[in-house]
Amino acid sequence: MAMFARVTSVDLEGDIDQAIALIRDRIVPQASRLEGIVAAYWLGNRNTRRGLAVTVWESEEAMLARTSHGEQRGENGRRRKWTRLQWSTTRL
């Protein structure tokens, strides 16, 4: 059975400590509950203000069901001002 991975690059545009806290406190716990997710990894560099998120999915359908059209949105539906996202996917 093939798995699929998505690599998302992130440019942090605002307060980096606030972004890290949001990822740690909200995004990681939410991601761990997503149907079809196998693993997720977040990497960041404070100096370059760039980050990577790698998510591994049990199927292409599960991965595509979680597509956010290139941007991260808050609970109120507004785009977060501190990120710009770009991703690529591959079959494993």
Side-chain angles (χ1 to χ4, degrees), residues 17-60:
D17 291 320
Q18 191 176 35
I20 290 169
L22 177 71
I23 291 167
R24 180 192 63 234
D25 298 339
R26 298 186 71 199
I27 294 175
V28 170
Q30 288 174 4
S32 67
R33 294 188 299 266
L34 293 174
E35 186 175 334
I37 197 160
V38 174
Y41 307 93
W42 286 267
L43 310 159
N45 184 316
R46 285 181 176 272
N47 295 324
T48 64
R49 303 181 64 80
R50 305 244 15 230
L52 290 176
V54 180
T55 53
V56 181
W57 301 87
E58 65 185 26
S59 69
E60 185 174 25

Side-chain angles (χ1 to χ4, degrees), residues 4 11 26 40 45 61 73 81-82:
F4 288 79
D11 295 317
R26 298 186 71 199
N45 184 316
E61 293 78 21
R73 294 191 178 270
K81 295 180 180 174
W82 49 265

Side-chain angles (χ1 to χ4, degrees), residues 6-24:
R6 173 177 290 145
V7 178
T8 305
S9 63
V10 181
D11 295 317
L12 299 172
E13 297 173 343
D15 184 300
I16 195 162
D17 291 320
Q18 191 176 35
I20 290 169
L22 177 71
I23 291 167
R24 180 192 63 234

